[in-house]
Amino acid sequence: MNLRLRLTTEQASVPLDSSLTLLENLRQQGYQLPSSCRNGNCYICQATLVRGEVELRQGERITAGKQPQTIYSCISYPRSDLEITAERLRRAGELSMTPLACQVQSTDRLSHDVYRVKLLAPAGTLPEFYAGQYLMLELEDGQQCPFSIASAPVQLANSRELELHIQHAADSEISDRILQQVQQRSVVRIHLPQGNCHLQNIPQTPLVFLAAGTGFAQMKGMIEHCLDQQHLLPLHLYWGVRKVEHFYLSELPHRWAQQKSVTFHPVVSDDKDADWDGRSGALHHAVVEDLTELKGAHFYICGSPQMVYASTDDLVAAGVPEDHIHSDVFDYAPREA
């Protein structure tokens, strides 16, 4: 049976697979609709059935008659051609920039220079972002500073929470201002989302995450999203720091490794660190050493431009396709042609 789906906002229709839920069909066609529970209990994936019939997971059927019907896309299977509307549905890559005034929920010191800041988004219609994107924190003079969103989209959907990892640089006036703002003000203004290194659609391959220092924040958001979406293929986190005490929240990747399909590869670049007997040297060298175990993977890199391009060059030289390597550095610090 060849079924079609039409969206009220568009002229064209897309094919439907009756063995998949409406949510799965939408994602297969590149659309994004927020979801959380996948059991029809959280109502986040709500849509309006304008025309057609769906069958719920329990066997009940819902048909749109003279009045449109509310359905939950995660448990609705198409049983005819459909026409729907969904307020929060977005085409591939389509997210609107949202300015928000967020409460500063907490500021915790995680290491000698890294702070975890939790922001609470205002109640109501929440913004959307893809795992791995970043936001801009606005200072009092209007200057905007980028920070990776260290939490998965589901955390915002469920608790209105956004997590940041802010590193305080000694003798830096701008760094002092950022820290003072989140420590002394109850409300801050942000703009999101930003960035093209993200998991709008999770590749059905192993995923390898390379994080230098607080680049861990971006990778944390993506890994937690993969776990929430039950990505079943291997996830590898390579996290590099200069000294072992620079690992913060280090118990978290160890916990992922114990419970899920995550392998944690900590690397300390200072090979003279007396407190470290694990892998040392350049982070990307460790990845290249392990490439035989990472065939077909997509690679996500967060670090300085120098680190990202050195990693990219070595990975490409070792046979990794360039389109399997992703980093925001490619946009904000492109190489000269």
Side-chain angles (χ1 to χ4, degrees), residues 122-238:
T125 302
L126 294 172
E128 297 177 63
F129 70 94
Y130 299 132
Q133 290 191 296
Y134 61 92
L135 57 77
M136 305 298 288
L137 176 68
E138 186 176 308
L139 302 183
E140 291 181 352
D141 63 357
Q143 183 174 353
Q144 295 184 11
C145 305
F147 290 99
S148 294
I149 302 172
S151 44
V154 68
Q155 193 168 337
L156 179 62
N158 289 346
S159 63
R160 297 163 41 206
E161 193 172 88
L162 292 162
E163 180 179 332
L164 310 179
H165 297 168
I166 296 179
Q167 186 170 28
H168 178 246
D171 303 319
S172 167
E173 184 266 340
I174 185 66
S175 188
D176 288 342
R177 290 172 55 204
I178 293 168
L179 188 58
Q180 288 170 7
Q181 178 135 329
V182 297
Q183 287 182 324
Q184 298 175 8
R185 300 189 62 178
S186 60
V187 176
V188 296
R189 189 171 176 82
I190 64 171
H191 302 260
L192 81 164
Q194 303 256 5
N196 293 316
C197 179
H198 57 64
L199 295 178
Q200 176 187 348
N201 297 302
I202 303 175
Q204 292 307 299
T205 67
L207 305 182
V208 181
F209 304 97
L210 286 74
T214 51
F216 173 71
Q218 183 181 22
M219 305 311 161
K220 175 180 178 291
M222 289 198 279
I223 290 172
E224 290 181 342
H225 178 64
C226 289
L227 298 180
D228 172 67
Q229 295 296 306
Q230 301 179 17
H231 179 74
L232 299 178
L233 295 171
L235 307 172
H236 292 264
L237 170 63
Y238 288 80

Side-chain angles (χ1 to χ4, degrees), residues 4 29 55 59 61 78 91 126 139 142 146 233 288 314 336:
R4 307 288 296 183
Q29 295 299 323
E55 182 176 352
R61 294 204 175 204
R91 288 189 295 270
L126 294 172
L139 302 183
L233 295 171
V288 172
D314 279 8
E336 294 184 4

Side-chain angles (χ1 to χ4, degrees), residues 5 42 59 95 112 116 168 240 254 303:
L5 168 67
C42 71
L95 288 180
H112 73 290
R116 174 174 54 197
H168 178 246
H254 285 295

Side-chain angles (χ1 to χ4, degrees), residues 27-310:
R27 288 181 171 171
Q28 193 172 73
Q29 295 299 323
Y31 291 89
Q32 293 296 310
L33 185 62
S35 67
S36 179
C37 69
R38 296 182 293 277
N39 290 310
N41 295 321
C42 71
Y43 313 134
I44 294 174
C45 67
Q46 176 178 311
T48 299
L49 182 63
V50 178
R51 182 175 62 86
E53 183 178 61
V54 298
E55 182 176 352
L56 305 187
R57 192 171 291 159
Q58 301 88 344
E60 177 187 355
R61 294 204 175 204
I62 296 178
T63 303
K66 293 183 179 180
Q67 296 296 325
Q69 300 290 319
T70 296
I71 59 173
Y72 303 107
S73 62
C74 69
I75 56 170
S76 299
Y77 294 82
R79 293 296 177 256
S80 72
D81 290 345
L82 303 179
E83 181 179 346
I84 68 164
T85 183
E87 182 180 349
R88 302 187 71 186
L89 184 68
R90 296 288 183 271
R91 288 189 295 270
E94 181 185 38
L95 288 180
S96 57
M97 182 66 64
T98 306
L100 287 178
C102 295
Q103 295 179 32
V104 180
Q105 195 171 32
S106 63
T107 302
D108 304 315
R109 192 169 188 165
L110 300 177
S111 70
H112 73 290
D113 64 349
V114 176
Y115 295 78
R116 174 174 54 197
V117 177
K118 292 186 178 181
L119 304 178
L120 190 65
T125 302
L126 294 172
E128 297 177 63
F129 70 94
Y130 299 132
Q133 290 191 296
Y134 61 92
L135 57 77
M136 305 298 288
L137 176 68
E138 186 176 308
L139 302 183
E140 291 181 352
D141 63 357
Q143 183 174 353
Q144 295 184 11
C145 305
F147 290 99
S148 294
I149 302 172
S151 44
V154 68
Q155 193 168 337
L156 179 62
N158 289 346
S159 63
R160 297 163 41 206
E161 193 172 88
L162 292 162
E163 180 179 332
L164 310 179
H165 297 168
I166 296 179
Q167 186 170 28
H168 178 246
D171 303 319
S172 167
E173 184 266 340
I174 185 66
S175 188
D176 288 342
R177 290 172 55 204
I178 293 168
L179 188 58
Q180 288 170 7
Q181 178 135 329
V182 297
Q183 287 182 324
Q184 298 175 8
R185 300 189 62 178
S186 60
V187 176
V188 296
R189 189 171 176 82
I190 64 171
H191 302 260
L192 81 164
Q194 303 256 5
N196 293 316
C197 179
H198 57 64
L199 295 178
Q200 176 187 348
N201 297 302
I202 303 175
Q204 292 307 299
T205 67
L207 305 182
V208 181
F209 304 97
L210 286 74
T214 51
F216 173 71
Q218 183 181 22
M219 305 311 161
K220 175 180 178 291
M222 289 198 279
I223 290 172
E224 290 181 342
H225 178 64
C226 289
L227 298 180
D228 172 67
Q229 295 296 306
Q230 301 179 17
H231 179 74
L232 299 178
L233 295 171
L235 307 172
H236 292 264
L237 170 63
Y238 288 80
W239 186 7
V241 297
R242 191 168 65 85
K243 292 185 174 294
V244 66
E245 60 264 27
H246 296 168
F247 287 120
Y248 63 91
L249 290 180
S250 58
E251 75 286 351
L252 183 58
H254 285 295
R255 192 160 68 242
W256 292 334
Q258 290 175 355
Q259 300 175 2
K260 304 288 184 178
S261 57
V262 179
T263 303
F264 178 36
H265 309 265
V267 180
V268 174
S269 61
D270 187 350
D271 57 8
K272 297 179 182 179
D273 193 328
D275 297 325
W276 182 248
D277 58 2
R279 298 177 83 165
S280 60
L283 181 64
H284 62 280
H285 291 170
V287 180
V288 172
E289 288 173 3
D290 297 345
L291 271 185
T292 55
E293 304 170 21
L294 308 173
K295 288 183 178 178
H298 277 253
F299 297 79
Y300 298 83
I301 314 174
C302 187
S304 68
Q306 180 182 9
M307 173 266 187
V308 169
Y309 285 118

